[in-house]
Amino acid sequence: MADQAWWRSAAIYQVYLRSFADGNGDGVGDLAGLRSRLPYLAGLGIDAIWIVPWYPSPLADGGYDVADFRAIDPIFGTLAEAEKLIEEAHAAGIRVICDIVPNHCSDQHAWFQRALASAPGSPERDLFWFRKGRGAEGELPPTDLQSIFGGPAWTRVADGEWYLHLFASEQPDFNWDHPAVRDEFEDILRFWFDRGIDGIRIDSAAVLIKDPLVSDVYEDNEGIHEVYQAWRRIADTYTPPRALIGEVWLPDHEAFARYLRPDELHTAFNFAFLGAPWEAAELRKEIDMTIAVHAPVAAPATWVLSNHDVTREVTRFGREVTNFAFADKRRDVPSDLELGTRRARAAALLTMSLPGAYYLYQGEELGLEEVEDLDDALREDPMFHRSGGVNPGRDGCRVPLPWSGTSAPFGFSPSDATGDPWLPQPAHWSELSVAAQQGVPGSFLQLYCDALRLRRQEPSLGDGPMRWLDSESQVLAFARGDLANVTNLGTAPAALPAHREVLLSSVPLNEDGTLPADASVWLRLA
């Protein structure tokens, strides 16, 4: 726990709290459940956990509609329990990262409620983007800007004014031109840093600064970097310094890198790699691009295969089209889960051997697939509802984890639970539970445990250099010191470079020592 640059090489486990573990039996995951599973996480071999928003929320967007940034939602527990979790995680050698959502709040937030109760032009409304509408009676939105979740980005209130929301209508955008908004969030940072939080993940980090009446460009506008430079100064006042991790979706690689300059964020998520198809040339291009983008600012890359927003890789890699893009997400797309599982195992070894930090999403280590047959009445995601059901939404990757047992809730809730899990689990997940896989050679979970253990032990893994090795066109092969990763994305077996030892493989090698299709191996080079 003493390494101040831990974030450069860390393996970080994303916890979607509602679906991780239910401690009080109401069918919803909570802090008690998470605390009870800290030994599992420590045994898995991760360095930190990232917890998605745990704040009071009406859950219009899975907790990203925050009603109070300095409290814990009662469904999860109390602030005292959160402080106890941080303490216990540190004792287990695990750092804790929490989400901060600076672009918007819930429409139930005290500031917004006061704005609704105040007159047009009032100081309370200046904290948000309230504007008059177009048309003779102001009946049209101020602009034609569309929400990221679909539909207009403006909602009208009773007195006729409209307010901006880049996401759901229950998530009004803050006006970051207002100094009170900046002061508020700097205080929120200190509030959580003072409680021992080791870092924060910044939701929608590039969209804070905008003028929706002048431009429909709401990403990466002038003034955004001053916000994070101020945040970095705060983070650096702590011992050890706290880490700032950005959710930065930008197609311009140079613009992305500017967020990672030495006086701004420490790291940012690598969504280009996450969305790449299971194709050797495309993956190599994204790897090279990622390393090249980060080099000028001396920032570590991050690598991730899934999170609480995207289709789980077991399902994604089993499809004819294996890339991920929000705009292309549709229902009833067939997937070969056996093929997807094989590719996901290979992708895990590929990803964990790349230079920088590694993120995994809860259940990824169990080989869980996207649950796509949820009853529409149970779906909560605004992406589903605002698209009229065209987009299946993100509920399918948020189904509660299976821990043990042969029938639901598979140990997610205690045996005396009074409520069913908030989303139903597939019956066959009994075979994928932690108990069913733990310590079982060849299981998905054991592969992750072995890989994370080696990743921590091997000095050449994590942050540091890499070099490509000669390989066939459908094979990715690179070295990290004397350790090599070879991943075969083709259909024919692949020859391996000269090596002294096979450290770990996603599937057994062929009898002739070649690497099967859709497989990955770690080698000790000769």
Side-chain angles (χ1 to χ4, degrees):
M1 296 287 290
D3 181 10
Q4 292 195 6
W6 60 272
W7 39 270
R8 298 192 67 93
S9 297
I12 301 171
Y13 187 100
Q14 182 191 358
V15 174
Y16 192 77
L17 198 52
R18 295 177 75 195
S19 299
F20 185 71
D22 169 21
N24 63 6
D26 64 357
V28 178
D30 49 35
L31 289 169
L34 175 55
R35 291 171 61 195
S36 74
R37 299 295 184 177
L38 285 175
Y40 165 77
L41 293 172
L44 184 61
I46 52 94
D47 301 299
I49 54 175
W50 154 36
I51 306 172
V52 302
W54 49 9
Y55 312 107
S57 170
L59 296 177
D61 180 24
Y64 283 87
D65 48 320
V66 178
D68 184 346
F69 290 91
R70 296 180 183 81
I72 300 295
D73 195 306
I75 199 170
F76 298 139
T78 65
L79 181 58
E81 283 184 276
E83 292 170 340
K84 191 68 175 173
L85 166 70
I86 296 166
E87 177 186 337
E88 292 170 349
H90 287 170
I94 299 171
R95 294 177 172 86
V96 181
I97 300 163
C98 73
D99 249 303
I100 297 291
V101 188
N103 180 68
H104 50 263
C105 63
S106 166
D107 59 1
Q108 301 304 305
H109 190 282
W111 277 17
F112 192 71
Q113 287 294 302
R114 286 197 291 269
L116 291 178
S118 301
S122 63
E124 289 80 5
R125 291 201 174 184
D126 286 345
L127 299 170
F128 301 91
W129 288 102
F130 279 89
R131 294 296 183 268
K132 293 179 180 180
R134 296 174 296 172
E137 304 296 332
E139 70 278 9
L140 299 175
T143 71
D144 294 327
L145 183 64
Q146 296 293 294
S147 160
I148 293 169
F149 285 168
W154 297 93
T155 290
R156 201 177 192 188
V157 300
D159 58 34
E161 281 206 322
W162 299 74
Y163 68 87
L164 177 72
H165 51 88
L166 290 184
F167 295 90
S169 58
E170 297 90 348
Q171 295 170 285
D173 280 32
F174 287 113
N175 174 12
W176 272 84
D177 293 339
H178 200 299
V181 172
R182 300 185 182 224
D183 291 345
E184 171 73 356
F185 274 92
E186 290 181 9
D187 189 72
I188 290 167
L189 294 188
R190 294 185 183 95
F191 179 89
W192 289 108
F193 290 161
D194 288 346
R195 279 155 182 78
I197 285 289
D198 299 281
I200 61 164
R201 178 264 190 186
I202 306 161
D203 181 69
S204 301
V207 304
L208 306 190
I209 307 296
K210 80 273 284 183
D211 187 342
L213 295 184
V214 174
S215 171
D216 61 2
V217 176
Y218 50 78
E219 291 181 332
D220 194 42
N221 284 317
E222 186 176 352
I224 187 71
H225 296 286
E226 287 81 353
V227 172
Y228 297 125
Q229 287 163 355
W231 288 22
R232 180 62 176 264
R233 288 193 291 271
I234 293 171
D236 286 348
T237 64
Y238 288 81
T239 304
R242 306 311 196 227
L244 304 178
I245 302 155
E247 182 193 31
V248 181
W249 293 82
L250 289 177
D252 184 327
H253 303 318
E254 291 184 4
F256 173 88
R258 283 195 286 271
Y259 288 78
L260 302 177
R261 290 175 293 192
D263 62 344
E264 292 192 41
L265 307 182
H266 294 85
T267 65
F269 288 150
N270 183 3
F271 293 112
F273 179 81
L274 180 154
W278 185 247
E279 298 172 10
E282 286 298 312
L283 285 171
R284 178 162 181 164
K285 181 183 76 173
E286 295 299 345
I287 292 168
D288 283 340
M289 179 275 295
T290 297
I291 293 172
V293 164
H294 287 76
V297 288
T302 66
W303 309 97
V304 57
L305 292 171
S306 64
N307 62 35
H308 67 292
D309 285 334
V310 307
T311 304
R312 284 192 179 274
E313 62 267 36
V314 165
T315 297
R316 191 167 79 243
F317 288 151
R319 289 181 169 153
E320 183 177 354
V321 178
T322 54
N323 69 304
F324 177 81
F326 283 113
D328 299 335
K329 194 170 182 182
R330 294 294 183 268
R331 308 181 74 172
D332 304 318
V333 179
S335 177
D336 180 342
L337 295 182
E338 183 177 349
L339 176 62
T341 296
R342 182 183 181 91
R343 288 174 169 174
R345 290 172 62 96
L349 291 193
L350 167 66
T351 307
M352 279 191 245
S353 54
L354 291 167
Y358 166 69
Y359 285 78
L360 65 153
Y361 174 50
Q362 64 180 46
E364 179 182 320
E365 78 276 19
L366 303 178
L368 301 184
E369 79 276 15
E370 188 88 354
V371 181
E372 301 192 288
D373 60 353
L374 292 170
D375 190 309
D376 285 357
L378 299 176
R379 295 181 187 270
E380 297 185 0
D381 188 11
M383 282 191 166
F384 169 76
H385 294 289
R386 291 177 69 91
S387 71
V390 173
N391 185 324
R394 299 163 292 176
D395 298 295
C397 65
R398 300 174 178 182
V399 173
L401 295 189
W403 290 93
S404 61
T406 58
S407 60
F410 302 117
F412 170 72
S413 298
S415 57
D416 59 350
T418 58
D420 295 327
W422 70 279
L423 286 174
Q425 304 150 301
H428 74 270
W429 275 13
S430 61
E431 302 168 5
L432 300 178
S433 72
V434 172
Q437 297 193 55
Q438 204 156 37
V440 177
S443 71
F444 219 111
L445 176 58
Q446 194 58 46
L447 176 71
Y448 267 69
C449 289
D450 291 343
L452 287 166
R453 173 180 50 81
L454 284 168
R455 190 178 183 278
R456 180 177 283 180
Q457 291 175 352
E458 292 291 331
S460 58
L461 292 179
D463 194 26
M466 66 167 277
R467 68 184 189 279
W468 290 106
L469 303 175
D470 292 337
S471 65
E472 300 168 23
S473 62
Q474 296 303 308
V475 175
L476 297 178
F478 56 88
R480 309 287 316 279
D482 69 343
L483 187 148
N485 171 264
V486 182
T487 303
N488 183 5
L489 293 96
T491 57
L496 297 176
H499 57 277
R500 290 185 285 122
E501 182 183 5
V502 174
L503 297 176
L504 186 63
S505 59
S506 62
V507 297
L509 300 182
N510 294 321
E511 289 186 2
D512 62 359
T514 58
L515 182 64
D518 294 315
S520 185
V521 64
W522 288 359
L523 305 171
R524 184 83 65 191
L525 294 174

